[in-house]
Amino acid sequence: MNHVPRSIRRFARRFTDAGHELYIVGGAVRDGLLGRTVTDYDFATSATPDEVQRLFRRTIPTGVQHGTVTVLFEGSQFEVTTYRVDGTYADHRHPDAVHFTRSLDEDLARRDLTINAIAMDPASGRIHDPHGGREDLRRRLVRTVGDPDTRFGEDALRMLRAVRFATALEFDVDPALRAAVARHHAEITTVAAERVLQEFEKMMAASRPSTGWRLLRDTHLLEDLIPELLEGDRPPAGAAAVDGLFDHLVASCDCAPRDHATLRWAALFHDLAKPRCSGHDDRGRHFHGHDERSAEMATAILTRLRASRERIEGVRHLVRHHMFGVHGDSTDAAIRRFVSRVGTTAAADLLVLRRADICGKTGAPPTDPGLLRLEERVTAACREGHALTVRDLAVNGRDLMTELRISPGPIVGILLDELLETVLDNPEQNTRDQLLTIARRFADSRLDTQTADDGGS
Ligand code: ATP
Ligand code: MG
């Protein structure tokens, strides 16, 4: 493991000088031993939360009932948790009681995975590893501390954490662990949606989330969490099987950029409703409306998982529009219309989604020159400065009301939309004079029943 920062050694000495133990535990030790950069240090100590709070001037009682105190030390925030033993678990998730202990070994024994149950003494760098975590890091294996059936029976979230770590670290899963998940999968429903989502989001940041989604399917956890993903193979009443749908969705998910979670979710869900939209006509099989229905299903799933509004709306929008029809040889006006309809950010994202979709089918990034041309043209349409929304028009609603002497009301919006349509076709008409002329003409033909207002507003 890379050396321990000096401030952490000074931090540790405060504890040892007072007769307490302090160890680095959890992710920092695991990631350090894997040679990854460590930014986030968690500490375990023999000192009680009271004792920790007395050792430092500035502390925050983050989760004192669980033994966690945040210490502000030399400009850093360190989370320190008192060694603890969890009591019995009546609800598969929360221990009925938490007991503090002075024994590091007891604390390590309550941790979920061997690779997360390694402690390091900050002063000497000495490793304490009673459960063979280092050996599992070498073997690239995710294994529970102790018997997996017992550990999952205590806390069902651990099943999902095991899948997430296997996916993020690209490790194998111990066969006994896998078998135990298959026995305990139904208990995952006791875990709060927020915690489930948190693990999913971490899984989505892995190089290949498909590993996780497959693992979730094979261990039956997916049936309890996102059964919609399984409908291609097991269509519900009224739907039809769609061969290879699951594989296509998870492969598309891998192909979407790792640092763009909304796009990865959109890729995962883009064709979700195909089984429910399957139909036949004289031209063969079709999935009419699957974009809209998939967007609805994605919204329902992410809402159920208590995702943020921003995430839900972003995914819904991309899934809804993923079947866009513009191509490399579309007219400039058609391309502007597309960008105008979906928005500039989404237009770029939809092209990335299309790439992921193709890559999820063929296994390789697309090389189709038509798609490359479309990407260039959409980028150009976003940059060239032509009006793409009513806000970009050379007149606004107030101008129309004043110049055409109409009162506020829906007609103003209708006129602005009409002007935008005109300008999307002919950007050179986006001048005040031309737009007012067009608006007058349009209003005259449409406003026969509407009386002109005296005051103009
Ligand atoms: P990362 O922060 O990178 O997700 P981490 O290992 O630090 O990984 P945390 O969720 O921060 O994970 O938890 C810190 C440590 O607490 C873990 O390494 C593990 O030892 C222990 N732990 C966390 N959740 C559980 C759990 N549900 N059951 C048992 N031990 C757990
Ligand atoms: Mg952590």
Side-chain angles (χ1 to χ4, degrees):
M1 172 165 188
N2 350 16
H3 83 282
V4 177
R6 293 251 287 281
S7 73
I8 289 185
R9 285 193 304 223
R10 281 194 292 274
F11 180 64
R13 207 151 63 231
R14 288 277 198 99
F15 287 80
T16 48
D17 284 353
H20 305 295
E21 295 174 9
L22 183 83
Y23 286 90
I24 306 173
V25 287
V29 183
R30 179 194 69 229
D31 293 343
L33 288 169
L34 284 171
R36 305 184 174 207
T37 39
V38 175
T39 48
D40 203 28
Y41 288 86
D42 289 316
F43 299 92
T45 181
S46 57
T48 64
D50 279 347
E51 287 166 336
V52 175
Q53 282 168 302
R54 264 182 269 132
L55 276 181
F56 296 92
R57 216 152 30 94
R58 294 194 300 159
T59 59
I60 306 164
T62 322
V64 180
Q65 65 282 20
H66 302 113
T68 304
V69 174
T70 302
V71 180
L72 305 171
F73 182 79
E74 297 183 3
S76 300
Q77 291 200 8
F78 295 134
E79 288 225 327
V80 183
T81 304
T82 303
Y83 295 160
R84 46 176 243 224
V85 199
D86 299 335
T88 52
Y89 295 72
D91 64 352
H92 303 298
R93 181 64 190 98
H94 301 98
D96 300 330
V98 169
H99 302 287
F100 299 138
T101 162
R102 299 280 184 184
S103 155
L104 173 65
D105 279 338
E106 286 185 342
D107 181 79
L108 293 176
R110 59 112 186 148
R111 294 178 180 269
D112 54 355
L113 305 171
T114 60
I115 56 173
N116 289 344
I118 310 171
M120 194 178 93
D121 174 4
S124 64
R126 199 176 50 80
I127 294 283
H128 189 63
D129 178 23
H131 302 284
R134 273 175 305 182
E135 177 60 13
D136 287 338
L137 285 175
R138 252 190 307 275
R139 293 192 291 177
R140 305 177 67 78
L141 193 63
V142 172
R143 211 160 52 87
T144 52
V145 170
D147 171 53
D149 279 291
T150 310
R151 305 313 309 285
F152 296 152
E154 290 167 354
D155 178 0
L157 176 64
R158 291 172 187 155
M159 297 189 279
L160 208 48
R161 286 176 57 88
V163 171
R164 185 258 288 189
F165 281 111
T167 308
L169 300 172
E170 303 185 45
F171 278 21
D172 289 329
V173 170
D174 167 42
L177 185 161
R178 183 192 288 256
V181 177
R183 282 188 290 273
H184 287 268
H185 71 89
E187 291 154 26
I188 199 70
T189 54
T190 60
V191 176
E194 291 83 351
R195 302 306 301 272
V196 172
L197 182 69
Q198 200 178 2
E199 296 304 320
F200 282 168
E201 294 272 341
K202 288 186 175 176
M203 219 173 79
M204 281 300 215
S207 164
R208 278 196 300 278
S210 62
T211 314
W213 295 115
R214 282 182 215 286
L215 208 49
L216 291 172
R217 177 192 60 184
D218 298 343
T219 54
H220 305 286
L221 283 167
L222 205 52
E223 293 163 23
D224 307 297
L225 298 173
I226 312 184
E228 293 90 338
L229 278 169
L230 303 167
E231 291 185 9
D233 296 314
R234 290 186 237 163
V242 176
D243 284 347
L245 180 59
F246 180 85
D247 287 329
H248 172 58
L249 292 175
V250 300
S252 303
C253 181
D254 285 1
C255 291
R258 185 175 181 175
D259 59 355
H260 197 324
T262 294
L263 259 169
R264 278 207 153 162
W265 281 110
L268 184 70
F269 291 150
H270 75 282
D271 281 343
L272 201 57
K274 274 191 167 180
R276 300 189 191 186
C277 294
S278 174
H280 286 273
D281 60 18
D282 40 352
R283 285 191 299 171
R285 191 168 187 193
H286 63 71
F287 304 99
H288 291 330
H290 82 273
D291 40 6
E292 205 162 326
R293 298 272 307 271
S294 298
E296 285 166 13
M297 291 171 76
T299 303
I301 293 165
L302 291 171
T303 304
R304 197 166 75 211
L305 291 172
R306 307 222 190 289
S308 67
R309 287 180 82 89
E310 189 188 1
R311 171 80 79 240
I312 297 171
E313 182 47 33
V315 173
R316 186 200 64 74
H317 190 62
L318 295 178
V319 174
R320 171 67 190 86
H321 292 285
H322 83 271
M323 294 291 285
F324 63 84
V326 284
H327 49 79
D329 298 320
S330 295
T331 62
D332 284 344
I335 288 181
R336 281 193 295 271
R337 255 174 227 292
F338 163 65
V339 176
S340 169
R341 190 170 61 246
V342 302
T344 49
T345 307
D349 289 347
L350 281 165
L351 290 168
V352 180
L353 180 58
R354 179 64 60 86
R355 281 185 163 270
D357 189 355
I358 295 169
C359 162
K361 266 185 208 116
T362 64
T367 51
D368 169 25
L371 182 61
L372 295 174
R373 200 153 58 243
L374 177 62
E375 286 168 340
E376 284 166 13
R377 295 190 55 203
V378 166
T379 308
C382 294
R383 290 224 185 105
E384 69 195 354
H386 290 322
L388 294 169
T389 72
V390 290
R391 276 190 311 269
D392 304 327
L393 293 172
V395 296
N396 60 27
R398 184 152 297 279
D399 299 329
L400 294 180
M401 291 187 286
T402 314
E403 297 291 329
L404 277 64
R405 306 186 50 196
I406 51 177
S407 323
I411 186 64
V412 180
I414 293 171
L415 281 171
L416 287 171
D417 286 342
E418 194 62 33
L419 294 177
L420 178 62
E421 287 302 309
T422 306
V423 166
L424 286 170
D425 279 331
N426 303 297
E428 71 284 353
Q429 295 191 355
N430 191 17
T431 67
R432 184 180 164 90
D433 285 351
Q434 293 194 72
L435 293 188
L436 287 176
T437 308
I438 296 164
R440 270 193 204 98
R441 216 164 41 223
F442 183 74
D444 286 347
S445 68
R446 282 285 301 268
L447 287 179
D448 33 25
T449 55
Q450 195 119 0
T451 45
D453 180 84
D454 327 327
S457 68

